[in-house]
Amino acid sequence: MGQRRTLARGTRVLGALLCGLLALTGLGWTVRDLAAAAEPGHLWWSWAGLPVRPGGDVPVTSLTDLFLCTVQAAACVTALRSRRSAAAALAAAGAATVALRLPGLWILRRDEVPPSGAGLRDAALLTAAGGLLLGLALVLLAALGRRAVPDGPVTTGPEVYVTSGFGPFTPGGGYAPPVSFGAAVGGPAGYGDGERSRPRGTVVRAATAVLLTALAAAGAGWQVHRWREWGSDTYARQLTGGPRELHALLQPPAAWTAWTAVALALAAAVAVVARAVSARPPAGAAGALFLLLGVAAFSAQLRVRLYDRLFSLPAEQLLEVLTELFLLFAGALVLLLTASLPREPSGAGEAAVPAPRALPPGPPPPSPRPPGW
């Protein structure tokens, strides 16, 4: 038999606790920003990239904090409920947390942080450092906390038998009423449906992989274009952060966020093509990140009434607007397709359904005695 590797229960509980702690930290900073905002809507426009300062200080959170809270909460629930997907969920949440918290370690230590945010800088720096450490811990738990468990037959009911015409032998002795010769009875629920559902699963996987690759290509293409258009010095500030690019204390630079989304989408596409059971969490995370980026861009464009003059825009700006709409709809579609991805692996190591086997020949069923025997 093959060997599967799943997280032990104690490891899953520990990972869920770490994810819950990270999610609650991000939620706490979001509540703080909402309380400091003159209007709750101002915080969203700040997340969308508009020059709206929701409070007197520089806000702490950004759109990436909403994404991280969502992914961490989902990983917390998955770790507690699914032994098979727990490792992938913890690894995806940990990797995203590490990638998006890492820039804060050098940005928040600079002297260029606006004075209005100086009072919160130390707390934000502690949050970034703690997020980085806990994210690394999640990745290590997912990589090192797995144990081998033997594969076994998938059974959700009695074993499958092929009748010999008299019916299957019952546990209490004797034979059940006759059924058709050669009929399979008592099999697992859904037995025989695997072959019919395989083409649908292949189509879903192919569509998910194509969309993830297209999202990664769109994001990478615009980043390469901006690097060539702006020059290496200006683009480096967009990648590593600078005083003009700092709109929120925990916000990673725009180019850094874009490349993180590209890397996440490519990793998820590879997992989907490899038909790995671990494909669902990274694919869902990539779809959620691109969906949030698309929704933020779309709402900001509506706010400035960009669509009122859409067809009078320069060709490059029009293409950028259409790309952001593509991110929105493709990200939403990836989320829907991810929910339809097969939960069980296929191929080597997959638990097999036992093949039907015939009952040994037995005596014929008893006939009723004649009257007065």
Side-chain angles (χ1 to χ4, degrees):
M1 289 188 182
Q3 293 282 320
R4 295 197 313 263
R5 297 186 66 85
T6 59
L7 288 182
R9 179 173 178 80
T11 306
R12 291 190 288 120
V13 171
L14 178 58
L17 289 176
L18 296 182
C19 285
L21 179 60
L22 288 169
L24 288 176
T25 302
L27 181 61
W29 280 118
T30 303
V31 172
R32 180 265 163 200
D33 282 347
L34 283 173
E39 297 180 11
H42 286 178
L43 182 60
W44 170 255
W45 298 124
S46 174
W47 287 357
L50 294 180
V52 177
R53 180 160 294 182
D57 295 332
V58 174
V60 178
T61 59
S62 65
L63 191 68
T64 55
D65 292 278
L66 176 61
F67 164 71
L68 287 177
C69 283
T70 304
V71 171
Q72 291 156 0
C76 178
V77 174
T78 303
L80 293 176
R81 297 186 60 182
S82 175
R83 183 179 64 179
R84 219 176 244 268
S85 301
L90 295 180
T97 303
V98 169
L100 295 176
R101 291 296 187 223
L102 182 60
L105 295 185
W106 64 75
I107 293 176
L108 294 172
R109 297 179 65 180
R110 294 174 178 172
D111 295 333
E112 295 94 346
V113 174
S116 60
L120 298 171
R121 179 171 58 183
D122 292 341
L125 180 60
L126 182 61
T127 300
L132 179 64
L133 292 177
L134 292 182
L136 287 173
L138 288 175
V139 174
L140 291 176
L141 283 176
L144 305 178
R146 289 185 287 182
R147 59 183 176 87
V149 294
D151 285 339
V154 177
T155 56
T156 56
E159 193 173 4
V160 178
Y161 295 101
V162 177
T163 66
S164 57
F166 297 118
F169 191 78
T170 59
Y175 287 84
V179 294
S180 300
F181 183 84
V185 297
Y191 175 75
D193 294 338
E195 294 297 327
R196 290 194 297 269
S197 63
R198 185 170 299 172
R200 179 177 177 272
T202 302
V203 171
V204 171
R205 286 184 183 276
T208 306
V210 168
L211 282 174
L212 287 170
T213 305
L215 286 170
W222 274 108
Q223 293 306 308
V224 172
H225 171 74
R226 286 163 182 163
W227 171 64
R228 297 180 60 184
E229 182 182 18
W230 296 344
S232 56
D233 293 339
T234 302
Y235 187 79
R237 290 195 298 270
Q238 290 287 327
L239 185 63
T240 61
R244 294 184 179 180
E245 288 75 27
L246 184 63
H247 303 294
L249 294 179
L250 290 177
Q251 180 181 13
W256 185 281
T257 303
W259 283 114
T260 299
V262 169
L264 187 58
L266 286 178
V270 171
V272 171
V273 171
R275 305 175 67 86
V277 71
S278 58
R280 292 166 61 89
L289 181 53
F290 278 107
L291 174 61
L292 284 176
L293 293 174
V295 168
F298 179 70
S299 61
Q301 291 159 3
L302 287 179
R303 176 82 171 181
V304 299
R305 299 183 179 275
L306 188 63
Y307 291 96
D308 293 345
R309 47 190 175 88
L310 181 63
F311 295 103
S312 62
L313 295 174
E316 181 178 332
Q317 191 175 1
L318 177 60
L319 182 59
E320 185 175 1
V321 171
L322 295 178
T323 302
E324 288 164 347
L325 286 177
F326 168 73
L327 299 184
L328 191 160
F329 289 108
L333 188 55
V334 165
L335 281 179
L336 292 176
L337 290 175
T338 300
S340 301
L341 284 176
R343 295 179 180 270
E344 301 296 331
S346 59
E350 183 179 10
V353 176
R357 64 183 181 88
L359 281 171
S367 58
R369 298 179 178 179
W373 179 264

